[in-house]
Amino acid sequence: MHCIKHLIHINANPETIYNALSTIDGLSSWWTSLTSGESRINKIIEFRFDEPYFMRMKVLELDENRKILWECIEGEKDWMGTLISFDIEGNGNNSILRFKHDKWPTHGDFFSHCNLSWAKYLISLRLYIESGKGAPFRLE
Amino acid sequence: MHCIKHLIHINANPETIYNALSTIDGLSSWWTSLTSGESRINKIIEFRFDEPYFMRMKVLELDENRKILWECIEGEKDWMGTLISFDIEGNGNNSILRFKHDKWPTHGDFFSHCNLSWAKYLISLRLYIESGKGAPFRLE
């Protein structure tokens, strides 16, 4: 099993970061504008990109202002059953976000592509939080 | 041992990508503007960031328009002895760049930080190649 790990510093308090990660509005603002569903325990959030790409995540943990954990239950073959987590460590307005996408069955081109892509969207998350305007995926 | 792997699509031919990776001018344009040394086999390239951060790479391979391999011989403790490679696969102006930073002794916060940082600078590399203007580190 392989794991994508990123760490990013964000000039914001944990509550602001948690809101961007735990609401449909927040997620739409930095990952994909085509986000729908419910961000509640055991409910499903759907993330769409260019047809036919999408993934459905089951919300496993929502620890307020601290941690979010999803399981991918539908989408790309290599993503099925993988776990995606966001851990927030706050110190006033200087927070650290630790991201993990764990339990990858492969470690090849698709893994490498997704590794870069997660970094790109985490930078978009920071931009959204710090400036109010992210760079989520949008249909042309 | 742990490995950072990224894959990025670049709209350019292999020669253009190779030049951005194998010349001091090219490297200064997307990674750090404080790049010096010689990009020749067995010679050293030095990359500086905010004081006291720097690293020195020994050039191990220069396979024209295809591959570049460096060994980190000085810098952050976890980088010592690590291997950094760029593999270019070209198909006209649609090329794929595969990046590896291999032989990491640790897999913690510093690894996760560098993983995000490499992605950021590879996106800067693409920007430089495709638009003529990258986003390298610069002293304020």
Side-chain angles (χ1 to χ4, degrees):
Chain A
M1 290 292 176
H2 305 280
C3 184
I4 291 172
K5 292 174 76 175
H6 289 292
L7 182 150
I8 188 165
H9 293 265
I10 302 181
N11 290 328
N13 59 34
E15 192 182 347
T16 307
I17 299 171
Y18 183 79
N19 284 339
L21 296 167
S22 64
T23 62
I24 302 303
D25 260 12
L27 294 163
S28 305
S29 302
W30 65 269
W31 194 16
T32 167
S33 59
L34 308 174
T35 299
S36 59
E38 285 185 79
S39 178
R40 290 196 296 144
I41 294 288
N42 288 328
K43 298 291 182 182
I44 308 299
I45 313 179
E46 183 176 290
F47 301 94
R48 292 204 158 262
F49 294 85
D50 279 325
E51 290 295 339
Y53 298 108
F54 73 96
M55 49 277 275
R56 290 198 180 95
M57 306 286 184
K58 184 174 175 181
V59 180
L60 299 187
E61 264 186 76
L62 283 175
D63 184 358
E64 206 177 334
N65 303 341
R66 286 195 178 173
K67 183 176 179 180
I68 285 150
L69 175 66
W70 301 327
E71 180 188 357
C72 183
I73 56 164
E74 218 175 326
E76 292 294 301
K77 182 167 152 276
D78 280 358
W79 282 49
M80 296 286 294
T82 57
L83 296 175
I84 289 159
S85 65
F86 302 87
D87 277 273
I88 307 164
E89 183 187 322
N91 182 8
N93 276 328
N94 292 306
S95 297
I96 290 174
L97 178 67
R98 292 180 179 86
F99 168 85
K100 277 209 295 194
H101 185 177
D102 205 0
K103 300 201 180 295
W104 273 78
T106 58
H107 196 227
D109 276 354
F110 186 53
F111 176 95
S112 306
H113 163 76
C114 291
N115 188 24
L116 189 105
S117 186
W118 274 123
K120 183 179 81 169
Y121 286 117
L122 291 168
I123 291 167
S124 163
L125 167 68
R126 176 165 64 190
L127 198 66
Y128 166 60
I129 290 173
E130 294 185 355
S131 79
K133 196 166 164 51
F137 170 81
R138 289 182 200 282
L139 285 180
E140 297 283 308
Chain B
M1 291 293 176
H2 305 280
C3 183
I4 290 172
K5 293 174 75 176
H6 288 291
L7 180 151
I8 189 165
H9 293 264
I10 302 181
N11 289 327
N13 60 34
E15 192 182 347
T16 306
I17 299 171
Y18 184 79
N19 285 339
L21 295 168
S22 64
T23 63
I24 302 302
D25 259 12
L27 293 163
S28 305
S29 303
W30 65 269
W31 193 17
T32 167
S33 58
L34 307 174
T35 299
S36 59
E38 284 186 79
S39 178
R40 288 196 297 144
I41 293 288
N42 288 328
K43 299 290 182 182
I44 309 298
I45 313 179
E46 183 176 292
F47 300 94
R48 292 204 158 262
F49 295 85
D50 279 325
E51 288 296 338
Y53 298 107
F54 73 95
M55 50 277 276
R56 291 199 180 94
M57 306 285 184
K58 183 173 176 182
V59 180
L60 299 188
E61 263 186 75
L62 284 174
D63 184 358
E64 206 177 333
N65 304 340
R66 287 195 178 173
K67 183 175 178 179
I68 284 149
L69 175 65
W70 301 328
E71 180 187 359
C72 183
I73 57 163
E74 218 175 324
E76 293 293 301
K77 184 169 152 275
D78 279 358
W79 282 50
M80 295 286 295
T82 57
L83 297 174
I84 289 159
S85 64
F86 301 87
D87 277 274
I88 307 163
E89 184 188 321
N91 181 8
N93 276 329
N94 292 306
S95 296
I96 290 172
L97 178 66
R98 290 181 180 84
F99 168 85
K100 277 208 295 193
H101 185 178
D102 205 359
K103 300 202 181 292
W104 273 79
T106 58
H107 196 227
D109 276 354
F110 187 52
F111 176 95
S112 305
H113 163 77
C114 291
N115 187 25
L116 189 104
S117 186
W118 274 123
K120 182 179 82 169
Y121 286 118
L122 290 169
I123 292 168
S124 162
L125 167 68
R126 177 166 63 189
L127 199 65
Y128 165 60
I129 291 173
E130 294 185 356
S131 79
K133 195 165 165 53
F137 170 82
R138 291 181 199 281
L139 285 179
E140 298 283 307

